[in-house]
Amino acid sequence: MSRLRSGQWLALTAGGLVFAALIGIVVCLLALQRLGDARREVVQRLDPAAIASARYLTALVDEETGLRGFELAGQEAFLRPYVTGSRDAAAAHKQLQQIAETGDAPGLAEDLRNVGVASSAWHLLYADPVILTVRAKGKGARDLPSLTSGKEQFDQVRDAFRQLDDNLSARRAAVRADLRHAANAATWAVIFTAALLLLAAIVAGSTLRRTVATPLARLARDARRVARGDFDHPVAIAGPRDIQGLSTDVESMRRRIISELEIVNRSRAQLEEQTLDLQRSNAELEQFAYVASHDLQEPLRKVASFTGMLQHRYQGQLDERADQYINFAVDGAKRMQVLINDLLAFSRVGRVGAEEKVVALDEVAADAVADLGVAIEESGAQLTIDGPLPQVRGDRSLLTALLQNLFANAIKFRGDAPPRVRLSWERTRDVEGGGDTYTFTVSDNGIGIAPRYADRIFVIFQRLHPKEEFTGTGIGLAMCRKIVEFHGGRIWLVPAPEDAGHGATFRFTLPVDEEDTTP
C-alpha cells in the first residue's frame, strides 16, 4: 500500500472498472452478434427461401393446370396460366438460386438443382410435347403423351419440392433454436456484465476505502485530537505514500508543538518568576518613593534651609571662596529637591491616582496654558490651538502634564524671536492597529532639535544642553512618552534639517474612544 500514492490507487481502481466494463461490453457484443447472425439467417435467407419455394411450387401447379385445360380444350386461352406460371417459376427459381449462392448451406443448392432437374424433365418430356402436338393436330390426337406419364413426371417435381421444403423446415428449426439460444445468451451476457460491474464497483469501493478513505479518516481523527489539545496522542502513519507523507508532517508538527510548548511552559514559569520579582521590585520602588518623599525630603529640606540661612546671614562676612561654596551648596540642594520631585512624578505615571474617563482636551489645554501663564507672559509667547479639540478617554492630570511639558519646552528652548507654539490635530486610520486614532502636532519656532537626537531626547535624564544654558532635569520628554504610551499611543519627533533655527515639531497619537462620533 505504501508504494503507491492516493492518485495511483484511484487510477488503478478506475482502470479496473474500465477493464470490467470492457469485458462486459465485449461479451454483450459477441452475444448480440450471434443473435444478429441468427436473426439475419432467419429473416433474410430461410424465411424468403420458404416463401420463394412455396411460390415456385404454386407457379408449377398453375402451369400443370393450364396445360391440362389446353390439352382438353385445345384453346390457346387455357395456356395463360401456363405462361404466367412459367414466368413466376423462373423468378422464384432465380430468387432461390441467389439465396443459395449467398448462404453457407450447400443442401439448399442441391435441393434447388433437384427441383430444377425434375421441373425441366416435366417440361421436356410432357409439357412441351403436349403443347406442340395439340397446336399441330388439335385436341384428342392419338400421339399425345399419356396422362399417366405426365402425372409421374409432375409427382417427381412434387417430391423434389417436398425434399426442399423438408430441408428448409429443418434448417429453419435449427436456426430458430440458435436464435433462441442467442437471445438467452444475450440476456445472460447483460446479466453477467451488470454483475461484473457491480462486483468491480464493490471491489473498487472496498479497495479505495481500505487504501485511501480509512487512512485519511484515521489521520483526520488523530489531527482533531491533536487540535483539541491532546498533544501526547501520536499520529498513526499508514496508507498510501502521499498520505503517509502527510501523516509524517502532522506527526512532526505535533512533536514540534510539544517541543515549543515545553519551551513556552518554561518561559511561562520564568515569566511568572520574573513577574514575582517585578512585583517585589515595584513594592520596593513604592517603598523607595515613600522614603524619597518623606525621609529624604526632610533632611534635604534642612540642608537647603540651613544653607539658605547661612547664605543670608553670612553673605559677605566670609571670604569670596566661602561665599562660592555656600552658593554651590544652596544650588545643589534646590536642584536635588527638583530632581527628586520630578523623579517621583515620573515614577507615579500610570500607577498613582490614574483614573480613566472621558476627558475634554479643550479643558486640558486650557489648564496647561493657565499653569504656564507666568512663562508665557515673560517670554511673550503666542499659543495657537486649532480647536475644538476632541474628547479622549484617559487621566486628565496626566494629559495636562503632557501638554504642559510640550508647551514649556517650546517656550524654554526659544530663539531670539518670541515663541510661537501651535497645537493641531486630525483623525486618521491606524494602519498597524486597524482602528482610528487622533494625531496631535505641537510645533514651535525655537532652536529645534537635530534628527540624530530623535531617540535620545525621550530617555530619562538625557540633556542636550548644559544646565547653565537651559535649566531642567531631563525628565520632561521621558515623562511625555510614558504618559502617551500609558494611554495607548506613541510620540515622536518629526525630522527636520540638521541646522538649528527651524523649530521643533512633536507628534503623538491617542486612541479614539468607541463612543466618539467626531469625523
Side-chain angles (χ1 to χ4, degrees), residues 353-405:
E355 181 182 358
E356 287 192 2
K357 58 183 179 179
V358 178
V359 178
L361 291 182
D362 284 325
E363 299 176 0
V364 171
D367 293 342
V369 172
D371 293 339
L372 297 173
V374 176
I376 293 173
E377 183 178 356
E378 291 178 353
S379 62
Q382 179 180 351
L383 270 70
T384 303
I385 298 176
D386 296 343
L389 299 178
Q391 293 181 344
V392 297
R393 182 171 294 277
D395 183 83
R396 178 167 179 169
S397 61
L398 294 179
L399 294 175
T400 302
L402 169 65
L403 295 182
Q404 184 176 343
N405 276 302

Side-chain angles (χ1 to χ4, degrees), residues 244-256:
Q244 286 190 4
L246 181 59
S247 302
T248 302
D249 294 339
V250 175
E251 175 66 13
S252 300
M253 181 180 64
R254 182 189 69 86
R255 293 178 180 177
R256 183 173 180 179

Side-chain angles (χ1 to χ4, degrees), residues 56 59-60 62-63 80-92 122-123:
Y56 194 0
L60 290 176
D62 290 342
E63 286 187 53
R80 291 177 183 174
Y82 179 86
V83 176
T84 303
S86 298
R87 187 172 58 251
D88 293 342
W122 180 75
H123 282 92

Side-chain angles (χ1 to χ4, degrees), residues 417-433:
R420 298 290 183 267
V421 186
R422 181 180 179 183
L423 172 62
S424 60
W425 68 280
E426 63 178 344
R427 181 168 179 166
T428 59
R429 168 68 64 174
D430 187 359
V431 179
E432 297 179 358

